[in-house]
Amino acid sequence: RARHAGPPDGGWGWMIVAGCFLVTICTRAVTRCISIFFVEFQAYFGQDYARTAWIHSIVDCATMLCAPLGSLISNHVSCQVGIMLGGLLASTGLILSSFATSLEHLYLSLGVLTGLGFALCYSPAIAMVGKYFNKRKALAYGIAMSGSGIGTFILAPVVQLLIEQFSWRGALLILGGFVLNLCVCGALMRPISLKEDCKTAPELLEQNYVPETEKQDLKRMSICSPLIKLWPHECLCYCSWKEYDFLLMPGFMVLAVSILFMAYGCSPLFVYLVPYALSVGVSHHQAAFLMSILGVIDIIGNVTFGWLTDRRCLKKHRYFCYLFAVGMDGLSCLFLPVLQSFPLLVPFSFTFGYFDGAYVTLIPVVTADAVGTPLLSSALGVVYFLHAIPYLVSPPVAGWLVDTTGSYTASFLLCGFSMIFSSALLCFARLAKKIKITHLPSLTGNTALKQHIWTNGAIAYSVTAELDQRDVEFLAVDTNSFSNR
């Protein structure tokens, strides 16, 4: 196990980035490409859209719901073991799926087993990148996470070619062998031991590589240590019972509701884009190429929109940039039912893919705006966990609408309005917050904003409150009587 004073920001860390890049290809890109099998499954088993859509839903939902299990195995055993085990489970699920005789068989093998394997790989691989990088963490994560879009761009036409050459059974069998590369990725995840993992809070505060925000949290926790006994042992336990207090914050509650609508709107597009293209006369290769375009433009949107919103002119308006990106994706979905040829569907793939990558980049920014930077890690875990329910429900609901109405129009309109509502909800919440702040002085009237600081000898307390004249006189009398004792 390598021992470093701080994250090396290079060296073997770039191999960790390469491993995480391959993990995102083998997990998220393969999950997206399952939609290419949709028409094959429906035709072979003779089932409707709703029942067939459960396959993709279960894969996505299992990956999100079981992500904490992957982190648990990684923390208590090792990251290498967790990713290798996940690779074996995912590969076994795909191989067993090639022998499926019913949709229920695919629900268990391709849905539950493969989804569980992806969950054991995805979270630990991303966490390892954070352990090896600090100063260049954003760049490292940008390269690692780009595997999802690049993998979709490459795999979509390859999977379509495999289906034509070897049928859907042979294509799943080959994908099962390809996913075994997750075991190789797991072998690359060399454990790293940082000195901060076994240092007390005062020693951590002396290190230059510890971010300033974390130093402030450590100072606060070290001050309170005599009372709550946070460091009775030599190793640091960096946690707090207030870690999930943000769940009751009004700003986060609004964000959580908007995330549910946003996830509901974006998920069915990745399932039904290829079937819809085939239904309007687009060839199989062209339909698969639409998924490839969406995947690669997704990466361009991720990088360029993130770079643009880091510029000084837009940095203060990133919240509204996020709302704009989600709203544009919703608007694109509303126009999709009238796009019934390949030349018209190509601009849709460009538009939807770009803004999909754009708002994914800004999700951590909006979350930090709602809960604050110190709670960002825990809040992001909850935000991504919230994706599981819409991912599970939305594709079957969209399929039921297709079966009931005989067209994709209702499904795509529901997706579009869902994403637009998500954007509008956050917009109204931000405007209401600004109006409240604007009218705050008139509401307070002549009350004075006072700040009182006192100490009990060890801890300094600061309380800000609005005091009227009676409170001021009462405090003055009480202070004089105390001083005369």
Side-chain angles (χ1 to χ4, degrees), residues 455-470:
T455 172
N456 65 355
I459 304 176
Y461 298 91
S462 175
V463 175
T464 301
E466 294 174 2
L467 303 175
D468 58 19
Q469 191 62 30
R470 292 182 181 177

Side-chain angles (χ1 to χ4, degrees), residues 405-478:
T405 63
S407 71
Y408 291 86
T409 302
S411 298
F412 292 148
L413 290 180
L414 183 59
C415 292
F417 284 122
S418 179
M419 298 190 77
I420 291 174
F421 178 79
S422 172
S423 177
L425 182 64
L426 288 179
C427 184
F428 289 142
R430 174 53 65 94
L431 292 176
K433 184 178 179 180
K434 285 191 173 183
I435 293 173
K436 182 178 179 180
I437 294 175
T438 303
H439 289 80
L440 188 60
S442 61
L443 293 175
T444 56
N446 296 326
T447 57
L449 195 64
K450 300 292 182 180
Q451 186 179 57
H452 299 275
I453 301 177
W454 70 93
T455 172
N456 65 355
I459 304 176
Y461 298 91
S462 175
V463 175
T464 301
E466 294 174 2
L467 303 175
D468 58 19
Q469 191 62 30
R470 292 182 181 177
D471 296 327
V472 175
E473 293 174 357
F474 175 78
L475 287 175
V477 172
D478 186 64

Side-chain angles (χ1 to χ4, degrees), residues 353-365:
Y354 182 82
F355 287 108
D356 180 75
Y359 74 73
V360 167
T361 302
L362 295 179
I363 284 179
V365 177

Side-chain angles (χ1 to χ4, degrees), residues 1-5 12 73-81 128 131-132 189-195 197-198:
R1 181 185 290 266
R3 175 64 69 94
H4 296 270
W12 190 258
I73 294 176
S74 176
N75 293 335
H76 290 273
V77 184
S78 77
C79 183
Q80 292 174 316
V81 172
M128 282 296 292
K131 288 187 176 182
Y132 271 84
M189 301 296 169
R190 179 187 298 172
I192 182 173
S193 178
L194 303 177
K195 288 186 178 180
D197 295 333
C198 295

Side-chain angles (χ1 to χ4, degrees), residues 341-401:
S341 65
F342 180 72
L344 293 177
L345 287 172
V346 169
F348 169 81
S349 292
F350 272 89
T351 305
F352 186 86
Y354 182 82
F355 287 108
D356 180 75
Y359 74 73
V360 167
T361 302
L362 295 179
I363 284 179
V365 177
V366 178
T367 307
D369 183 70
V371 304
T373 304
L375 298 174
L376 178 60
S377 179
S378 301
L380 277 179
V382 175
V383 165
Y384 290 128
F385 181 82
L386 289 172
H387 285 65
I389 297 174
Y391 281 178
L392 179 67
V393 174
S394 57
V397 171
W400 175 79
L401 288 173

Side-chain angles (χ1 to χ4, degrees), residues 27-50:
T27 55
R28 302 311 299 160
V30 169
T31 300
R32 288 183 175 183
C33 289
I34 289 177
S35 62
I36 299 176
F37 291 91
F38 187 94
V39 176
E40 302 295 330
F41 291 153
Q42 189 183 27
Y44 184 86
F45 295 107
Q47 299 293 337
D48 56 22
Y49 281 83

Side-chain angles (χ1 to χ4, degrees), residues 6-64:
D9 278 297
W12 190 258
W14 293 116
M15 294 301 296
I16 302 295
V17 170
C20 187
F21 176 84
L22 291 175
V23 167
T24 56
I25 291 178
C26 294
T27 55
R28 302 311 299 160
V30 169
T31 300
R32 288 183 175 183
C33 289
I34 289 177
S35 62
I36 299 176
F37 291 91
F38 187 94
V39 176
E40 302 295 330
F41 291 153
Q42 189 183 27
Y44 184 86
F45 295 107
Q47 299 293 337
D48 56 22
Y49 281 83
R51 286 175 57 83
T52 309
W54 277 106
I55 300 171
H56 192 280
S57 297
I58 294 173
V59 175
D60 258 338
C61 184
T63 303
M64 295 296 179

Side-chain angles (χ1 to χ4, degrees), residues 194-316:
L194 303 177
K195 288 186 178 180
E196 66 174 319
D197 295 333
C198 295
K199 281 187 176 290
T200 60
E203 292 173 324
L204 273 172
L205 292 172
E206 297 175 0
Q207 303 298 325
N208 293 328
Y209 60 83
V210 178
E212 191 62 32
T213 55
E214 293 184 15
K215 284 187 177 182
Q216 294 174 2
D217 292 337
L218 289 169
K219 287 178 181 178
R220 184 176 68 251
M221 295 171 71
S222 61
I223 289 174
C224 299
S225 60
L227 297 177
I228 55 179
K229 307 297 183 183
L230 280 176
W231 291 286
H233 305 291
E234 188 173 343
C235 289
L236 175 64
C237 180
Y238 195 3
C239 61
S240 170
W241 65 273
K242 291 186 176 181
E243 188 176 357
Y244 290 94
D245 278 358
F246 62 84
L247 290 174
L248 299 178
M249 293 181 180
F252 183 80
M253 294 174 69
V254 173
L255 176 63
V257 174
S258 71
I259 288 291
L260 291 174
F261 282 95
M262 181 271 293
Y264 180 92
C266 72
S267 181
L269 266 299
F270 293 100
V271 180
Y272 291 107
L273 179 60
V274 171
Y276 171 72
L278 295 175
S279 70
V280 296
V282 176
S283 68
H284 285 77
H285 284 288
Q286 289 177 330
F289 187 63
L290 290 174
M291 285 294 294
S292 297
I293 294 174
L294 195 151
V296 72
I297 298 301
D298 187 284
I299 295 303
I300 296 176
N302 194 299
V303 176
T304 59
F305 208 76
W307 180 83
L308 287 172
T309 52
D310 271 340
R311 300 305 95 195
R312 183 175 299 178
C313 58
L314 291 177
K315 197 167 187 178
K316 295 181 180 180

